[in-house]
Amino acid sequence: GENVEQHPSTLSVQEGDSAVIKCTYSDSASNYFPWYKQELGKRPQLIIDIRSNVGEKKDQRIAVTLNKTAKHFSLHITETQPEDSAVYFCAAGNQAGTALIFGKGTTLSVSS
Amino acid sequence: GAGVSQSPRYKVTKRGQDVALRCDPISGHVSLYWYRQALGQGPEFLTYFNYEAQQDKSGLPNDRFSAERPEGSISTLTIQRTEQRDSAMYRCASSRDRGGTDTQYFGPGTRLTVL
């Protein structure tokens, strides 16, 4: 089955810096890669996703890149702000309809 | 519109008791997923439904866990003879379309504590 590895587990940056979180997956059939942000005590919320027919997607300060050959994808947050502090989860899914497989999460701390 | 809701939000039970956790998906959503999330970890898949049909239950830890979605809307996750190791946050999610590539919207979760 699918296995998703996520690094780093914790990340501390200064406000205004960039943050990068990386994930690798094992199942070449995976073709959907969402990223969720979970604030303390809240539910996971989708912030961006990418499908395997594109290599990069951007939404304001957030971008995701995908390298299907290497089976890895990354989340990039630019100009970080304190409100970006949260746990971020990557996940992998596929058209066959099995549920998402999540990484273990990255705790991002942005200090002002 | 209303998002995914779950009830109860908190459940404390004694070891050996049965519990039933309810999930109300977004209206009209075809697929419904159950996950378990340990503190500081990502959601771990348990089972999922397309309409009323259970598609995959490979993530259920053992036969004390079962789920149903009889009318293709509300779902119930039942844990029989609860054990302390069952303590966790149980979350459900729903997606508009079937298939694993549609956005999943998560509910607030049910925090289960087994004493």
Side-chain angles (χ1 to χ4, degrees), chain B residues 7-75:
Chain B
S7 61
R9 294 291 308 278
Y10 302 91
K11 177 70 178 177
V12 180
T13 190
K14 292 184 179 179
R15 187 176 52 186
Q17 297 293 305
D18 298 350
V19 296
L21 313 180
R22 173 181 164 134
C23 173
D24 245 302
I26 294 173
S27 178
H29 275 200
V30 169
S31 296
L32 184 149
Y33 305 80
W34 282 100
Y35 294 90
R36 180 167 66 177
Q37 187 175 18
L39 200 61
Q41 300 292 316
E44 174 192 8
F45 167 70
L46 296 177
T47 185
Y48 90 98
F49 296 81
N50 286 337
Y51 300 104
E52 73 283 356
Q54 191 170 23
Q55 299 295 312
D56 184 351
K57 55 181 181 179
S58 63
L60 295 176
N62 51 61
D63 60 8
R64 295 186 296 106
F65 288 72
S66 62
E68 63 175 9
R69 193 186 185 199
E71 297 179 1
S73 179
I74 293 167
S75 177

Side-chain angles (χ1 to χ4, degrees), chain A residues 13 15-16 37-40 47 61-62 77 79-88 108-112:
Chain A
V13 300
E15 184 177 2
K37 175 183 180 182
Q38 187 172 23
E39 296 176 1
L40 193 62
I47 54 171
R61 296 186 297 109
I62 295 172
I77 306 174
E79 300 171 29
T80 53
Q81 301 166 3
E83 50 265 39
D84 294 330
S85 297
V87 181
Y88 291 80
L108 174 64
S109 300
V110 181
S111 53
S112 55

Side-chain angles (χ1 to χ4, degrees), chain A residues 10-64:
Chain A
T10 60
L11 180 58
S12 296
V13 300
Q14 291 287 319
E15 184 177 2
D17 288 351
S18 295
V20 180
I21 303 170
K22 298 181 179 181
C23 289
T24 61
Y25 62 99
S26 61
D27 188 350
S28 56
S30 291
N31 57 3
Y32 173 62
F33 307 94
W35 286 87
Y36 284 82
K37 175 183 180 182
Q38 187 172 23
E39 296 176 1
L40 193 62
K42 302 280 184 68
R43 71 188 77 187
Q45 294 208 311
L46 181 76
I47 54 171
I48 195 168
D49 58 13
I50 190 168
R51 288 174 171 78
S52 59
N53 56 342
V54 297
E56 184 172 0
K57 184 176 178 180
K58 191 173 181 180
D59 182 4
Q60 299 182 341
R61 296 186 297 109
I62 295 172
V64 58

